[in-house]
Amino acid sequence: MEDTYRTIEEMAESVYTEKRSKFIAIALPVRTLTDVKNYLEEYQKKYYDARHVCYAYMLGPARKDFRANDNGEPSGTAGKPILGQINSNELTDILVIVVRYFGGIKLGTSGLIVAYRTAAAQALAEARVIEKTVDEQVTVAFEYPFMNDVMRIVKEESPEIVEQSYDMDCLMTLRIRKSQMDKLRLRLEKVETARFVEV
């Protein structure tokens, strides 16, 4: 189904040690770039004494909005392997931060890649993966006498009612999974006086 995606339910954390370097990996569910920025600020403050705070994130059901950051590690040795783990688990709406405390022994580029990949993989293994539906919203306006017709459709198609108001015109915003939206719209269109409103 193209209207579902995988993400994590809540924060998960794990610690990985390699040649005295300590890698703390934190996986966080996020919905927006603002969430990502807020978490990054929070963890950069929390681990202000760490050598590197590297991360990767992926946003949106289409999984097209992503970024990897090496935070001072050699290019491609930290962010990319973290992002690789997000990809191999087919996750989105997720931020994975890996904090490194340097242990005095250099790991080399291949050692770093393995360490960051392993740390991210461990945190993701701790996380509870959930499947969510890709939902869409529609707002429909109609005259009060046709309330029952609209409510019958709502009852049968069972979208979530996001908001509703009853003035001169009745307004109802409905949310339903993407694959069922066309059917919902078709049925609502047939209700007398009903029209879709761009919000």
Side-chain angles (χ1 to χ4, degrees):
M1 293 289 288
E2 79 287 357
D3 68 344
T4 60
Y5 62 96
R6 286 157 51 90
T7 187
I8 61 170
E9 191 168 42
E10 56 205 1
M11 181 192 128
E13 201 170 318
S14 83
V15 178
Y16 173 71
T17 313
E18 178 66 34
K19 292 184 181 161
R20 298 213 302 267
S21 268
K22 187 168 143 187
F23 296 85
I24 302 163
I26 305 114
L28 299 146
V30 287
R31 293 302 296 268
T32 62
L33 209 47
T34 309
D35 291 349
V36 171
K37 285 184 177 133
N38 291 342
Y39 277 131
L40 286 173
E41 275 176 30
E42 181 188 327
Y43 283 96
Q44 278 158 350
K45 272 191 198 122
K46 185 176 174 181
Y47 296 107
Y48 68 91
D49 57 340
R51 176 72 67 96
H52 304 281
V53 179
C54 308
Y55 66 89
Y57 66 78
M58 174 85 65
L59 292 172
R63 305 180 70 243
K64 288 189 169 75
D65 189 4
F66 58 87
R67 185 156 176 230
N69 186 308
D70 295 315
N71 188 230
E73 290 283 27
S75 179
T77 59
K80 252 201 185 130
I82 299 170
L83 187 63
Q85 287 307 303
I86 292 173
N87 274 326
S88 63
N89 285 283
E90 294 176 354
L91 297 168
T92 190
D93 284 355
I94 186 170
L95 165 66
V96 178
I97 300 170
V98 180
V99 179
R100 179 187 182 196
Y101 282 95
F102 185 55
I105 301 167
K106 289 199 165 167
L107 301 179
T109 50
S110 58
L112 283 172
I113 291 168
V114 169
Y116 278 102
R117 185 172 61 215
T118 307
Q122 278 182 200
L124 292 174
E126 293 292 319
R128 198 151 113 215
V129 174
I130 51 171
E131 196 166 270
K132 287 189 171 182
T133 56
V134 178
D135 298 332
E136 289 185 342
Q137 280 190 184
V138 63
T139 300
V140 64
F142 52 93
E143 285 170 17
Y144 194 78
F146 303 97
M147 169 66 82
N148 286 344
D149 299 346
V150 172
M151 288 315 288
R152 184 177 317 115
I153 296 168
V154 168
K155 197 175 168 195
E156 288 166 12
E157 300 299 328
S158 58
E160 175 195 340
I161 299 173
V162 181
E163 55 186 319
Q164 49 191 340
S165 61
Y166 311 108
D167 293 321
M168 295 294 287
D169 247 0
C170 298
L171 268 182
M172 195 176 283
T173 301
L174 304 168
R175 183 185 289 138
I176 197 165
R177 67 188 285 180
K178 193 176 174 182
S179 58
Q180 295 164 348
M181 180 55 90
D182 289 346
K183 186 181 174 199
L184 179 66
R185 275 178 164 269
L186 280 171
R187 290 195 63 188
L188 289 169
E189 265 167 20
K190 292 183 180 136
V191 175
E192 229 178 300
T193 75
R195 62 181 201 282
F196 296 117
V197 183
E198 294 308 317
V199 183

